[in-house]
Amino acid sequence: MDLTLKVWRQKNAKTKGRFETYKVKNISPDSSFLEMLDILNEQLIHEGMDPVAVEKGCQSRGPVSFDHDCREGICGACSLYINGRAHGPDDEVTTCQLHMRKFKDGDTITIEPWRSNVFPVIKDLVVDRKAFDKIMQAGGYVSVNVGGVPDGNVIPISHETAEESMDAAACIGCGACVATCKNGSAMLFVAARVSSLALLPQGRVEAAKRAKAMVAKMDELGFGSCTNTRACEMECPKHVTISHIARLNREFISAKFKE
């Protein structure tokens, strides 16, 4: 496959960025999207050392910076906006799980970082998602002593409830929900964290405190409000549903009444 790539290049959050166009050739349809970017970077490194390319005024500006870690759809670090969609033109996958067979020979692919004020660009396609860490620090944990680990068969939790909690806990914090939402809302992320604990006995002890603290921190950091367009749910690589947002709202309102 021969492809044209329009890649966002930006030195840091304070400098103005722009799209730069690159050509890549002989890309295997079985390659992952990140492997294709690896090939592009090898090409850019070679051009940077090639006297002929330098003489022709090659504007490669060095390899493209992009974030990644596990490359197994677990960590959520590989967060890219590809042709107008978070994680690209496939459903329920992260960018590292996206394969080039989803594109056609001769395609032009536009690659951007997450577009959100709360996720400032560090360099090129890498953004700072520290805001999510701050929300978690505000209350996304259990701090009370809940005793030792009991036998799984004696925990008074129904199978359905346990499964629902695990579905919420599947959120990998990639930020696709924020990048996709027209308001830049983090409600799906916060709801997943609150819901996964609110459904369990261990998490009920601090449920009210958790809901208030995490919502307050989300607002403080400048995330937008939720208007239930469900775009976040559609683009979530782990298909976390907005039913968890409904639970977050109930938890928050209940906490306010108790207060």
Side-chain angles (χ1 to χ4, degrees):
M1 299 172 65
D2 295 346
L3 303 164
T4 300
L5 308 178
K6 291 187 175 180
V7 184
W8 184 259
R9 305 302 304 266
Q10 186 172 341
K11 187 176 180 180
N12 53 51
K14 296 181 179 179
T15 59
K16 187 177 181 180
R18 68 170 186 258
F19 283 104
E20 292 192 4
T21 302
Y22 306 105
K23 303 279 188 179
V24 289
K25 297 182 178 181
N26 301 321
I27 301 298
S28 169
D30 296 323
S31 298
S32 73
F33 198 86
L34 295 189
E35 287 172 336
M36 183 275 293
L37 289 179
D38 289 336
I39 293 171
L40 169 64
N41 278 344
E42 289 179 5
Q43 177 180 310
L44 294 178
I45 291 170
H46 177 74
E47 288 176 353
M49 295 185 295
D50 185 351
V52 176
V54 173
E55 187 176 336
K56 289 182 178 179
C58 176
Q59 299 297 315
S60 66
R61 297 170 61 187
V64 177
S65 296
F66 63 94
D67 210 353
H68 61 92
D69 189 8
C70 72
R71 299 204 179 200
E72 295 179 346
I74 299 172
C75 69
C78 57
S79 307
L80 296 178
Y81 218 68
I82 304 165
N83 283 352
R85 287 190 64 182
H87 295 299
D90 202 353
D91 299 323
E92 298 183 26
V93 297
T94 53
T95 301
C96 62
Q97 296 173 304
L98 177 67
H99 286 83
M100 298 310 297
R101 54 180 169 265
K102 285 293 178 178
F103 303 92
K104 297 178 182 178
D105 185 34
D107 274 358
T108 296
I109 305 174
T110 302
I111 310 169
E112 306 171 72
W114 284 163
R115 297 298 192 187
S116 175
N117 290 333
V118 292
F119 294 153
V121 172
I122 296 176
K123 185 178 181 182
D124 295 340
L125 304 175
V126 182
V127 299
D128 186 350
R129 291 177 296 170
K130 201 180 281 106
F132 271 7
D133 295 332
K134 292 178 180 179
I135 291 175
M136 289 297 291
Q137 290 168 0
Y141 51 84
V142 173
S143 64
V144 296
N145 184 358
V146 294
V149 180
D151 185 272
N153 294 323
V154 301
I155 300 176
I157 308 172
S158 68
H159 175 75
E160 292 76 14
T161 300
E163 287 297 309
E164 191 174 0
S165 175
M166 287 301 294
D167 287 343
C171 169
I172 55 176
C174 67
C177 51
V178 177
T180 301
C181 177
K182 65 179 183 179
N183 304 321
S185 173
M187 279 291 281
L188 191 65
F189 168 75
V190 177
R193 298 310 188 194
V194 168
S195 190
S196 65
L197 293 174
L199 287 161
L200 303 177
Q202 298 94 327
R204 290 307 310 166
V205 181
E206 300 172 293
K209 175 184 175 182
R210 177 181 305 109
K212 289 189 296 181
M214 294 184 77
V215 170
K217 180 57 70 172
M218 176 181 66
D219 292 340
E220 176 191 323
L221 292 170
F223 288 96
S225 58
C226 175
T227 49
N228 293 312
T229 62
R230 300 186 70 178
C232 56
E233 180 184 76
M234 294 299 103
E235 296 296 357
C236 175
K238 299 302 178 181
H239 196 55
V240 177
T241 71
I242 63 170
S243 63
H244 296 296
I245 294 180
R247 177 172 291 106
L248 169 61
N249 288 334
R250 292 194 298 271
E251 291 287 326
F252 183 76
I253 292 171
S254 174
K256 284 296 185 180
F257 273 123
K258 290 178 181 178
E259 189 179 74

